[in-house]
Amino acid sequence: VEIQSHSDSVTVHYEQDDKIQTLKVDYCLSSIPGHLMAGIKHNLSPAYTSRLREVKRGLLSKVGFRMSR
C-alpha cells in the first residue's frame, strides 16, 4: 500500500486480512513490476518515478537502484 524510504530505514505498509500492517526494516527488495510500483504511494524521487512509468507492461526487465542511508 505504501513504501517510504528514510535515512536509516524503510517503512512498508501493506494489507493483509483486511488490515493495514506496518514493517520498519533496514532495506526493502521489491519484486513489484515497475508500472505497478509507480502507482504505489512512495517517496521516491520524481525522476525515478518517471523512469518506473516508462517500463512497458509485459516487457522483461531488470532494474536496480541504490539509496543512501
Side-chain angles (χ1 to χ4, degrees):
V1 176
E2 182 177 352
I3 299 173
Q4 296 292 312
S5 177
H6 310 288
S7 62
D8 63 345
S9 64
V10 178
T11 303
V12 179
H13 304 281
Y14 64 97
E15 185 175 339
Q16 184 177 28
D17 300 326
D18 296 324
K19 295 180 183 175
I20 300 298
Q21 307 290 327
T22 300
L23 292 174
K24 187 170 182 178
V25 294
D26 292 333
Y27 60 91
C28 175
L29 178 61
S30 172
S31 62
I32 300 169
H35 67 282
L36 296 177
M37 182 64 188
I40 293 175
K41 186 174 179 182
H42 57 74
N43 65 344
L44 301 173
S45 73
Y48 189 81
T49 302
S50 175
R51 297 294 184 259
L52 287 173
R53 288 190 179 111
E54 289 177 7
V55 178
K56 301 298 180 204
R57 182 178 173 186
L59 297 177
L60 181 62
S61 61
K62 183 177 183 179
V63 177
F65 72 95
R66 181 177 161 178
M67 300 173 110
S68 61
R69 288 186 163 216

